[in-house]
Amino acid sequence: MNKEGTQIKSPVLYLQHHYELLKLEYEYEKDQFQQQTELMGIGRKIKRGMCWYPLSLGRSYYNALNQLVIEVERKEDKEIEHLFEYGKPVCFFTQDMSGKLTYLNFVATVNYVEEDRMVVILPDANALLTLQSKEVVGVQLYFDETSYRLMFEALKQVISAKNNRLAELRDIFHGMQPVSTFSFQPVRFPWLNATQDEAVNKVLHAKDVAIVHGPPGTGKTTTLVEAIYETLHRENQVLVCAQSNMAVDWISEKLVDRGVSVLRIGNPSRVNDKMLSFTYERRFESHPDYPQLWSIRKAIRELYTRSRKGNDRESIRQKINSLKDRATELEIRINESLFSEARVIACTLVGSANRLLTGQKFGTVFIDEAAQALEAACWIPLRKADRAILAGDHCQLPPTVKNPEALRAGLGHTLMQAIVKNKPEVVSLLKVQYRMNDEIMRFSSDWFYGGMLQSAPEVKYRSILDFDTPIEWVNTEGMDCNEEFVGENYGRINKPEAELSIGQLKEYITKIGRERFLEERIDVGLISPYKAQVQYLRQLVKKDAFFKPYRSLITINTVDGFQGQERDVILISLVRANEDGQIGFLNDLRRMNVAITRARMKLIILGDASTLTKHAFYKKLYEYISEL
């Protein structure tokens, strides 16, 4: 199969091929992890955000779900962005005088994480004792077997499905089986634009599948929330999933604003009171039966302690068993009550395999960010549903595939792309964008969306300064802006170009006027595709006194870090500058589409035109900007 994912005639063969590619990715990632664990020094692990050392251990306690947890905090390197997330497995270690690491023999799970503090679920009380007996410990990410196991299981089930709904969906998505629709009069939504209205109607009329294709700024979330809200007039409960915790939070929050009762399975990434109030844990704790359950669990723990001391073990064991039965009964009762009240169950794709959802069936599953998820991950929740609604944009960020061989063979080809190609009639393209000045939008619309996008009148001529040019390319050619290679994971850095970017930003803030910049809270994004460049830009802004009053208004991140966000002003540092026209992963044009469409009113691109314009896309972009 080629990179574009050309249809293999049999859906089963297509998915078997996909299964083999996923195995390649799994082995590759596992090997990479082992190499990093064994060979990489602790300093590099900390820099890459996969390790905290040294830690201070905080309090330990049993949480609402009766899991033993411990709070930990990093003492140093607090400004480094880390990769710890809810649900990820971690392991603890100690370091001896020679720098050798010794791993403690248990795996734990992240339950909650902030910038410098984490709550970790421990497997048992022995793990806690081991941890507390060490003087200095660190924590690092562990290889995530669970996600892979769930993806493999889901694919196996889809491949072997016969004479059931799962087999039908597989054959509709990847084969010749046609899609069917319900027939009823369209519903009118005067508060939506025509293409959003059409998309919601397509969702309501779909018996099998519908796709909401939302280019940047076109109100995909608004449309999806409307579609979910309308579906709930016809169904009692729906499942809403996305690839990342952040996307699940975002859509959950919008649904709550519409008055929909949401039950969030798994922990939110943006932890505020509004988010917490609809998490499963918080609802569980605030249930009227919970205090009784808590006191039963406490009694069970006390009895275990007594039985260890050897007194009257038989009668204690009987008491424990009857209390356990009572606790299980209460747990079931609380769960039933929480699930029957919720209209939307929200979780990540992998989170849909949570034991709480075992045996649950849904009329509809909504998958947001579907273009960023591996196909195998989408099948995890699809097994629970009769029909699927996918939303996203396959012209923006693709899923992460680390193995180059698996990527070339098509593992990054998503379920959404396959359906768009195989069943184009189920796709609704949202065509009116509400984010960008028309000149910023136009290039992306022409290159990626066949020129179909229009700007809403209220944003068409958006600008900060009168007679400003909304989009500029600062050509660094001949300015001694040379790239350097700084290791596999960080790729490239171009320090002179970073310094020039900072200079451009200063100049633009001064042009706007410092008071006005602060008064109107004009926000800025500095983007680079390379991590090393991002870190260097952060250092420059941090060290420069000029930026002190504006720091809260400036975000510096990679393209991936900016997905789904927007800013008034965006500067992009492209980094690459060499005589051979080598541009590495700037070849992934979907990333560039994300970068250039984050700006509302002003976009400044910095890059060496002689290097970049050897590629057709950058040549066209450079020409487009030069002609404005």
Side-chain angles (χ1 to χ4, degrees):
M1 189 177 87
N2 72 8
K3 194 179 174 188
E4 272 67 47
T6 303
Q7 202 69 37
I8 290 175
K9 280 292 169 268
S10 152
V12 168
L13 285 177
Y14 178 89
L15 290 167
Q16 278 170 340
H17 177 66
H18 213 76
Y19 189 92
E20 293 310 313
L21 296 182
L22 191 64
K23 272 203 321 216
L24 284 180
E25 174 76 353
Y26 167 73
E27 296 301 342
Y28 182 86
E29 208 180 326
K30 199 171 183 179
D31 286 351
Q32 292 274 92
F33 177 79
Q34 270 165 341
Q35 281 174 22
Q36 285 175 344
T37 303
E38 287 156 22
L39 305 174
M40 194 188 286
I42 195 162
R44 277 173 73 199
K45 282 186 201 172
I46 291 170
K47 272 207 176 103
R48 289 191 182 179
M50 50 194 286
C51 167
W52 287 358
Y53 182 85
L55 284 182
S56 64
L57 300 179
R59 66 194 186 108
S60 56
Y61 52 92
Y62 284 88
N63 67 11
L65 304 183
N66 206 29
Q67 296 158 321
L68 178 58
V69 299
I70 186 165
E71 292 178 1
V72 301
E73 198 167 332
R74 60 173 162 179
K75 293 183 189 174
E76 293 167 19
D77 305 295
K78 294 193 171 190
E79 70 290 341
I80 294 175
E81 270 191 50
H82 62 76
L83 303 170
F84 293 98
E85 272 178 34
Y86 164 80
K88 284 201 172 178
V90 293
C91 52
F92 290 90
F93 62 85
T94 57
Q95 185 179 29
D96 65 17
M97 300 298 280
S98 68
K100 185 176 173 291
L101 302 188
T102 307
Y103 291 91
L104 308 187
N105 64 345
F106 62 86
V107 177
T109 313
V110 178
N111 189 43
Y112 164 80
V113 66
E114 285 174 349
E115 284 171 9
D116 304 309
R117 190 177 75 88
M118 214 167 11
V119 179
V120 178
I121 303 168
L122 298 174
D124 52 41
N126 290 338
L128 179 65
L129 293 173
T130 310
L131 205 50
Q132 289 171 334
S133 69
K134 307 294 175 196
E135 266 185 45
V136 185
V137 289
V139 66
Q140 79 165 54
L141 285 170
Y142 193 70
F143 180 63
D144 189 0
E145 292 271 359
T146 314
S147 299
Y148 277 107
R149 182 176 53 75
L150 294 170
M151 286 194 280
F152 285 129
E153 271 173 23
L155 276 181
K156 271 188 192 155
Q157 206 175 326
V158 181
I159 287 165
S160 62
K162 279 190 180 65
N163 307 325
N164 60 10
R165 186 56 178 155
L166 192 59
E168 279 175 16
L169 289 177
R170 174 195 68 208
D171 297 343
I172 290 166
F173 297 170
H174 286 299
M176 308 308 283
Q177 193 163 325
V179 285
S180 44
T181 52
F182 297 110
S183 57
F184 52 81
Q185 281 299 305
V187 186
R188 285 286 152 250
F189 303 98
W191 54 92
L192 298 179
N193 69 44
T195 55
Q196 291 172 333
D197 185 307
E198 193 186 314
V200 175
N201 271 291
K202 211 163 228 184
V203 168
L204 298 178
H205 285 81
K207 250 186 198 171
D208 309 305
V209 62
I211 285 181
V212 179
H213 180 188
T218 52
K220 171 180 64 81
T221 306
T222 304
T223 309
L224 201 55
V225 165
E226 202 58 60
I228 293 166
Y229 191 79
E230 276 304 310
T231 302
L232 289 171
H233 291 332
R234 298 159 172 75
E235 295 173 25
N236 188 40
Q237 196 176 58
V238 298
L239 180 61
V240 174
C241 299
Q243 167 71 11
S244 68
N245 275 302
M246 204 180 274
V248 179
D249 295 346
W250 181 242
I251 197 152
S252 299
E253 226 174 294
K254 299 288 173 220
L255 286 163
V256 169
D257 289 343
R258 282 297 294 273
V260 176
S261 127
V262 174
L263 186 62
R264 170 78 162 94
I265 308 289
N267 273 16
S269 54
R270 290 201 310 270
V271 180
N272 55 37
D273 288 343
K274 181 173 168 186
M275 295 298 300
L276 277 174
S277 64
F278 53 87
T279 60
Y280 171 77
E281 281 84 346
R282 187 57 64 89
R283 291 266 170 100
F284 193 92
E285 274 179 46
S286 49
H287 191 276
D289 286 345
Y290 178 70
Q292 193 186 348
L293 177 63
W294 191 84
S295 53
I296 292 173
R297 284 173 176 170
K298 191 175 172 224
I300 292 171
R301 285 197 289 273
E302 283 165 1
L303 285 167
Y304 268 126
T305 311
R306 267 175 54 198
S307 78
R308 279 194 207 104
K309 291 173 183 161
N311 312 330
D312 193 10
R313 281 188 178 167
E314 190 49 43
S315 82
I316 287 178
R317 208 186 61 195
Q318 283 173 356
K319 272 183 194 161
I320 286 175
N321 287 343
S322 85
L323 283 173
K324 270 186 171 171
D325 290 345
R326 181 81 188 106
T328 307
E329 222 173 90
L330 275 171
E331 250 178 81
I332 291 169
R333 197 159 84 197
I334 295 174
N335 278 340
E336 276 174 358
S337 129
L338 295 183
F339 277 93
S340 62
E341 285 164 18
R343 302 294 311 277
V344 167
I345 308 296
C347 56
T348 59
L349 298 167
V350 168
S352 68
N354 191 302
R355 63 177 180 82
L356 293 165
L357 296 177
T358 306
Q360 293 264 38
K361 288 298 256 178
F362 298 90
T364 308
V365 59
F366 288 86
I367 300 179
D368 195 10
E369 266 190 357
Q372 269 186 276
L374 289 174
E375 166 152 355
C378 290
W379 283 110
I380 301 172
L382 281 169
R383 295 173 299 172
K384 298 181 178 298
D386 286 331
R387 64 178 201 133
I389 310 301
L390 278 63
D393 180 9
H394 47 286
C395 304
Q396 289 187 63
L397 290 181
T400 305
V401 176
K402 291 177 180 165
N403 180 340
E405 191 190 337
L407 184 62
R408 275 194 302 276
L411 182 62
H413 192 74
T414 61
L415 180 61
M416 179 164 163
Q417 278 169 297
I419 299 169
V420 165
K421 193 167 182 210
N422 192 26
K423 297 285 188 283
E425 66 274 24
V426 306
V427 182
S428 303
L429 175 69
L430 304 179
K431 293 178 186 168
V432 182
Q433 69 85 19
Y434 298 89
R435 174 184 299 164
M436 295 161 265
N437 176 297
D438 196 65
E439 287 179 10
I440 296 174
M441 175 211 75
R442 183 63 40 219
F443 182 80
S444 168
S445 171
D446 290 347
W447 185 281
F448 293 98
Y449 307 102
M452 304 277 280
L453 303 189
Q454 302 151 5
S455 301
E458 61 268 33
V459 303
K460 195 166 188 173
Y461 303 110
R462 263 188 155 178
S463 102
I464 299 172
L465 298 166
D466 295 338
F467 313 113
D468 198 2
T469 317
I471 174 168
E472 289 175 45
W473 184 310
V474 176
N475 184 5
T476 61
E477 193 180 329
M479 291 188 187
D480 291 332
C481 289
N482 301 315
E483 62 173 78
E484 299 166 57
F485 182 67
V486 284
E488 282 308 317
N489 273 30
Y490 286 90
R492 316 266 156 178
I493 192 169
N494 187 331
K495 290 183 176 176
E497 186 179 286
E499 284 149 21
L500 190 62
S501 307
I502 297 298
Q504 286 285 325
L505 180 55
K506 276 186 184 174
E507 211 176 288
Y508 198 64
I509 291 175
T510 311
K511 232 186 209 175
I512 294 167
R514 294 175 171 216
E515 281 73 33
R516 182 183 163 207
F517 191 88
L518 284 171
E519 251 169 56
E520 295 180 20
R521 298 197 65 72
I522 292 167
D523 53 5
V524 176
L526 271 164
I527 303 180
S528 178
Y530 293 97
K531 280 186 193 169
Q533 189 78 343
V534 165
Q535 290 191 353
Y536 188 59
L537 284 164
R538 282 184 184 149
Q539 282 168 24
L540 292 174
V541 168
K542 201 173 178 183
K543 280 194 297 209
D544 196 325
F546 175 91
F547 292 109
K548 203 168 180 200
Y550 316 116
R551 277 188 202 141
S552 65
L553 298 168
I554 299 171
T555 314
I556 307 169
N557 215 330
T558 56
V559 182
D560 298 46
F562 264 101
Q563 169 79 351
Q565 299 187 41
E566 55 187 78
R567 296 290 185 274
D568 296 323
V569 181
I570 289 284
L571 287 92
I572 306 170
S573 168
L574 293 176
V575 174
R576 301 309 297 257
N578 55 66
E579 283 166 15
D580 319 323
Q582 290 295 322
I583 61 169
F585 84 141
L586 289 188
N587 270 309
D588 189 341
L589 303 181
R590 291 173 293 183
R591 276 203 158 72
M592 270 317 287
N593 186 30
V594 173
I596 63 180
T597 54
R598 301 305 96 197
R600 297 187 194 107
M601 297 185 257
K602 179 75 171 181
L603 173 63
I604 302 171
I605 297 171
L606 293 99
D608 182 321
S610 64
T611 302
L612 291 150
T613 56
K614 289 190 173 83
H615 187 293
F617 172 87
Y618 295 96
K619 183 173 191 286
K620 194 99 172 117
L621 178 60
Y622 188 66
E623 285 165 2
Y624 170 78
I625 295 169
S626 306
E627 284 160 14
L628 288 176

